Amino acid sequence: MIGETPLAYDPQFEGPIICVKGLRNSFGDFVVHEDLDLDVRKGEILGVVGGSGTGKSVLMRSIIGLQKPDEGDVKVFGESLLGRSDAETVEIRKRWGVLFQGGALFSTLTVAENVMVPIREFYPKMDREFRREVAKYKVCLSGLPPDAAPKYPSELSGGMKKRAGIARALALDPELLFLDEPTAGLDPIGAAAFDSLTRELQQTLGLTVFLITHDLDTLHAICDRVAVLADRKVIAVGTIDELLAMDHPWIQEYFNGPRGRMAAPKQG
Amino acid sequence: MQVMTNASDFVEETTADGVTALRFSGDLSIASIGNVPERLSEYPGGIQQLNLADVGYIDTVGAWLIHRTARNMGAEIVGGDDEATRLIAAVSSVDPAADVRPDPPNPVLRVLNEIGEATTLAFTTLAGLVGFFGSIMLALFNLLRHPGQIRWNAVIQRFDVVGVRALGIVGLMSFLIGLVIAQQGAVQLRQFGAEVFTVNLVGRLTLRELGVLMTAIMVAGRSGSAFAAQIGTMRLTEEIDAMRTIGVSPVEALVLPRFLAAIIMLPLLGFYASVVAIIGGGLLSWVELDIPPATFFSRIREVVPITDVYVGLAKAPVFGAIIAICGCYQGMQVKGSAEDVGRRTTAAVVQAIFLVIVLDAFFAVFFTWIGWS
């Protein structure tokens, strides 16, 4: 069958994990992205920042295939995903995990069952007992207490829901993790704990992380590079120090505003 | 081209120094692990070593498998590279002693528990409905003392949604019901040569019972469910709490307009439904029984006592009140998730229709007893 063979992938692929070129997205007359380019390197945590309505989530949705861009090309693991069927991209999609803003846990399933959903979907032949064990250690790996596994999402606090969402995103041992505002709505202690969890998982599991955030502390604490979205494109990518050296008004306002200065690590 | 993964496998071997070991090969990852977990869990004991020297790629699933097997067999892990050692350390530091689902209770206890819960729920719902009716009455008296505070805009808007927009569907339904009653009546009564009584059947049945009853069921499905869903969604988005904080009583602002709209609109809709049903019956009588419309309507005036109209109109506001109370009460009870909105909406419709039919039976007995038969 033409067009239905899954794309093969190269586990040793070393180029940019995500490569977005000339992306254009619009809703009716409203253009969200125009000629947007972005590369995400292997093994880095890339923070994506931008004012409300600059299309951070739309960018993520374009990369993972939930939003069909008007123009441009999106390559993940070196494979172009646009215009390909679900059956073709299945091997690529297995290699990423997504944490949605609200957690997006299935409310009729327990936390452990939520983690088992992607495993059952992609590897239906896996031994049932083993699948349960995998789900359980993923729950613990995300920093949840073991007794959270048989609970329903409605019984969890906001921070625990996020962790359960991470557990599900990690279900297939992905190499690439998308996080959409993971610390939004968490208290500073919970947010800091979540940041260190992200960093820890990224180091132990060798993940590449695409992290959308508004949280300046998160940017300073764990992001290797930061991409700034403004004027319908990525206006700058670099470490925070590199960005600070630029003289774009929005970037200066963002990092040097009252909140930006508070979040910056104190200089010796 | 197929995906490049090397299926994982293992063989038993005895090393030079006499240690029994399992030597793993291939990639130990979620994609390549295949039936290895099953084979390992069925594997007889006596293994002292797990050798990972030939393993290619390993992920946390493979690491977990090795950790678990080593723990169960009491074997040591050798030959893993840095990556494998790191991952195995990471997964072995967590202790998944947990369950995937909450423990299932004893089946006998569960059945008893469910019966008990259903009984309490039935009584608490009934008490809740009565209490809710009380708070609506309080709000109503409160408003009657300060008539300036009545939200006429909201009330009129509900009139439109509950009444005017229901005209089409209620009319169509009643017309068809009138047709069916006349048609079935004609077929049955013809056996006795009494087709002419079809007029009595259509006139009395629709004005006294079916017009209002069917309208109530349609309004419960259309508006009762909408009340529950609207108010329930507002509960979820904390709009109701916001209202309370600002000092607006949700009963006055949300429930009363719906309550008033339902008790005013239901008699009107019910009467309209009866009239349309009579028109449907008249049409069929004209076509099937050759009774001309003029004769049909003069017969209706002769055979239907005016008390039938009173019976229908007296029941309608009560049915309207029940629909509004059930819908708004269930909406106000929503908590937690969007799933609860769906459950409460269903409950609102089921309870409203059930109570309407129960009360209709009471009304039938009552009106016969006072001699309006």
Side-chain angles (χ1 to χ4, degrees), chain A residues 113 133 137 146 152 173 204, chain B residues 60 64 68 86 98 100-101:
Chain A
E113 285 172 330
E133 284 184 33
Y137 88 72
Y152 287 91
D173 263 280
T204 13
Chain B
T60 68
W64 172 256
R68 171 187 92 150
R86 186 162 54 86
V100 170
R101 294 195 65 88

Side-chain angles (χ1 to χ4, degrees), chain B residues 1-266:
Chain B
M1 196 158 96
Q2 272 308 307
V3 178
M4 289 180 283
T5 46
N6 302 315
S8 41
D9 198 7
F10 63 90
V11 287
E12 186 176 330
E13 61 172 21
T14 310
T15 55
D17 35 352
V19 177
T20 326
L22 292 181
R23 177 173 274 271
F24 287 83
S25 60
D27 289 339
L28 280 177
S29 73
I30 187 166
S32 58
I33 208 148
N35 63 350
V36 169
E38 275 162 283
R39 279 169 57 207
L40 278 177
S41 52
E42 288 158 12
Y43 207 80
I47 304 294
Q48 291 150 301
Q49 225 177 50
L50 303 178
N51 192 333
L52 305 184
D54 297 344
V55 171
Y57 175 73
I58 186 165
D59 68 5
T60 68
V61 173
W64 172 256
L65 179 69
I66 296 297
H67 165 67
R68 171 187 92 150
T69 311
R71 193 188 57 197
N72 293 351
M73 290 178 168
E76 65 169 329
I77 303 163
V78 294
D81 56 12
D82 292 350
E83 175 85 4
T85 318
R86 186 162 54 86
L87 285 178
I88 291 170
V91 296
S92 60
S93 64
V94 297
D95 168 34
D99 281 323
V100 170
R101 294 195 65 88
D103 285 335
N106 178 329
V108 179
L109 281 181
R110 205 190 67 207
V111 170
L112 286 178
N113 200 13
E114 273 173 19
I115 294 174
E117 268 175 15
T119 316
T120 359
L121 183 70
F123 281 105
T124 47
T125 308
L126 200 60
L129 284 175
V130 174
F132 193 66
F133 178 65
S135 62
I136 294 176
M137 285 298 115
L138 275 180
L140 194 61
F141 283 125
N142 199 20
L143 275 192
L144 287 180
R145 284 195 289 128
H146 310 280
Q149 289 180 8
I150 300 181
R151 289 155 212 275
W152 287 114
N153 276 343
V155 177
I156 303 290
Q157 197 203 344
R158 290 297 138 200
F159 281 178
D160 179 43
V161 176
V162 175
V164 180
R165 280 162 203 267
L167 285 176
I169 187 70
V170 169
L172 181 63
M173 175 190 72
S174 309
F175 183 78
L176 293 175
I177 285 175
L179 274 182
V180 171
I181 295 172
Q183 197 263 332
Q184 290 297 314
V187 169
Q188 295 301 317
L189 293 170
R190 188 175 282 146
Q191 297 175 14
F192 313 104
E195 301 98 296
V196 74
F197 287 108
T198 304
V199 181
N200 302 39
L201 191 65
V202 172
R204 299 210 59 186
L205 204 53
T206 52
L207 277 168
R208 198 182 168 95
E209 284 292 335
L210 283 185
V212 171
L213 189 63
M214 297 307 288
T215 307
I217 290 174
M218 181 55 83
V219 171
R222 233 184 127 263
S223 302
S225 58
F227 293 170
Q230 286 158 354
I231 296 180
T233 313
M234 293 174 82
R235 286 270 313 179
L236 284 191
T237 54
E238 298 182 311
E239 280 177 67
I240 307 260
D241 295 331
M243 277 188 185
R244 285 214 175 94
T245 324
I246 298 167
V248 179
S249 149
V251 174
E252 274 178 30
L254 297 176
V255 179
L256 259 187
R258 290 173 168 80
F259 181 77
L260 291 177
I263 61 174
I264 293 172
M265 280 300 138
L266 214 73

Side-chain angles (χ1 to χ4, degrees), chain A residues 205-216:
Chain A
L205 309 180
L207 300 170
T208 306
V209 181
F210 181 96
L211 174 108
I212 296 176
T213 190
H214 272 307
D215 191 333
L216 287 154

